[in-house]
Amino acid sequence: MTVEQFVLLCVYLLSGLLGLCVGSFLNVVIYRVPNGMSLAKPASHCTTCDYTLKWYDNIPVLSYIILGGKCRKCGEKISPRYMIVELLNALCWVLSVHLFWRENPVYAVVSAIVLSTLICIFYIDLEHLLIFNRFIVILFAVGILSIFFDNFTEWYDHVIGSLAFGGGFLLIYYLALKILKKEGMGFGDVKLAFAAGLLLGWQKMLLAMLIASISASILLLILRRARGDERGHEYPFGPFISVGIAAALLFGEPIITWYLSLLGL
C-alpha cells in the first residue's frame, strides 16, 4: 500500500466515523428545531420518560442495536429513523470523499455539508411541512463557496440557476395565490430553489428538478391511491427536491456528460 492509498483510506474511515457522529447530531436537529427547542439543552433524553441518556446510550448505531431499539429505562420503542439518519449521513460523507476528494477536496467538504443539510430538510418537511430559514442560509453559504470550486460549471451558471429556478418557483407561488386563491407550494420550496440553483448551477439544477418532479409524480400517485386521499390533499415537495439536489450534486456531472454525448455535443 502506497502512502497516498493509506492517506485516502484514513480519509474514508474518518469521514465515515464523523458522518455517523454528525448524523447523531442531525437527529437532535430534526427533533428539536420544529419544536422550538434549544440544540444544547436539555441533554439527550427519552421523549417518553425523560430518562437522560448516558454516553454509552449515545453511540451512533451501536447503542440502538444493543438496546434493541428501546429506551433503557421505560422500554418504549425508539424510532428506527435515528439509526437510519446516522447511517445515511455516514454514507453521504463517504460518497462525497469517494467522488470528489482526490481532485477537489474543498468540493468534497461542500458536498458533505450540503447532504447533511438536505437530510434535515427532508425529514422535517416530511413530518412538519416546514423548511426553516437556517437551512436555506447554510445552502446559500456553501452555494457561494461552490462557485469558486465547482470544476463543472462557470460562475454565471450558478447565478442563472438561482435566478431561473428560484424565480420560476416564485412565479408559480404567486400565480397560484392569485388564480387558485391558495398556495400552490410552500414558500420554503421557493427559497430552497433559489439556494439550490446557486449551489448547483442551472444544468445540474435542471436535472435535480427532473428527478424531483418525476419521483414526486409517481410516489404521490401511488400514495394517493393507496390511502384514498382526496384531491387537494397537501403533500410536502421539499423531500423530493432534496433527493433531486443530492442526486444532481453527487452524480450530475457524469449524467449530463453522458446525455450530451448521446446528442453528439
Side-chain angles (χ1 to χ4, degrees):
M1 179 183 292
T2 65
V3 174
E4 182 181 356
Q5 290 173 327
F6 176 75
V7 171
L8 186 60
L9 177 61
C10 290
V11 173
Y12 273 113
L13 292 174
L14 185 60
S15 64
L17 290 173
L18 285 176
L20 284 173
C21 295
V22 172
S24 182
F25 174 70
L26 296 185
N27 279 314
V28 175
V29 174
I30 291 168
Y31 175 73
R32 295 192 182 192
V33 168
N35 291 300
M37 300 171 62
S38 167
L39 296 180
K41 297 180 180 179
S44 296
H45 60 280
C46 173
T47 56
T48 301
C49 68
D50 288 330
Y51 165 70
T52 300
L53 303 185
K54 309 299 183 184
W55 69 265
Y56 45 79
D57 296 324
N58 251 337
I59 303 173
V61 180
L62 285 179
S63 292
Y64 185 91
I65 295 173
I66 292 171
L67 292 171
K70 297 179 181 180
C71 172
R72 181 182 297 275
K73 183 177 181 181
C74 69
E76 184 69 20
K77 286 187 176 180
I78 302 170
S79 171
R81 187 203 74 200
Y82 289 90
M83 184 172 67
I84 292 171
V85 167
E86 290 167 352
L87 289 172
L88 179 60
N89 194 67
L91 175 62
C92 287
W93 280 40
V94 171
L95 265 177
S96 297
V97 168
H98 178 69
L99 294 171
F100 306 120
W101 183 264
R102 276 173 283 194
E103 294 184 3
N104 198 338
V106 175
Y107 200 72
V109 174
V110 166
S111 175
I113 295 172
V114 169
L115 293 172
S116 293
T117 305
L118 292 175
I119 289 173
C120 293
I121 292 173
F122 180 98
Y123 280 101
I124 292 175
D125 196 34
L126 188 65
E127 184 174 353
H128 300 278
L129 301 179
L130 292 169
I131 299 177
F132 287 86
N133 286 336
R134 65 187 69 187
F135 303 125
I136 303 299
V137 170
I138 293 172
L139 292 180
F140 264 118
V142 292
I144 294 171
L145 184 63
S146 72
I147 292 175
F148 301 99
F149 294 96
D150 186 349
N151 295 331
F152 183 68
T153 53
E154 301 292 343
W155 68 269
Y156 49 81
D157 292 319
H158 291 266
V159 176
I160 292 171
S162 181
L163 295 178
F165 287 93
F169 270 48
L170 186 63
L171 180 62
I172 294 171
Y173 178 83
Y174 281 114
L175 284 176
L177 285 179
K178 186 171 183 63
I179 298 172
L180 302 177
K181 308 302 180 184
K182 64 177 183 179
E183 290 185 347
M185 63 175 64
F187 199 70
D189 296 333
V190 176
K191 291 181 284 188
L192 180 57
F194 273 110
L198 182 66
L199 170 72
L200 297 174
W202 70 266
Q203 299 98 325
K204 284 187 280 189
M205 186 60 181
L206 178 59
L207 175 63
M209 292 312 305
L210 284 173
I211 294 171
S213 300
I214 293 172
S215 60
S217 298
I218 295 172
L219 291 178
L220 293 184
L221 179 61
I222 294 172
L223 187 61
R224 182 178 291 118
R225 290 188 175 180
R227 300 198 314 191
D229 293 334
E230 298 179 358
R231 293 181 66 86
H233 182 84
E234 186 177 359
Y235 298 100
F237 190 39
F240 297 101
I241 301 176
S242 298
V243 170
I245 295 169
L249 178 70
L250 292 171
F251 310 111
E253 183 174 343
I255 291 174
I256 293 171
T257 302
W258 167 78
Y259 180 73
L260 292 177
S261 69
L262 291 180
L263 300 177
L265 299 176

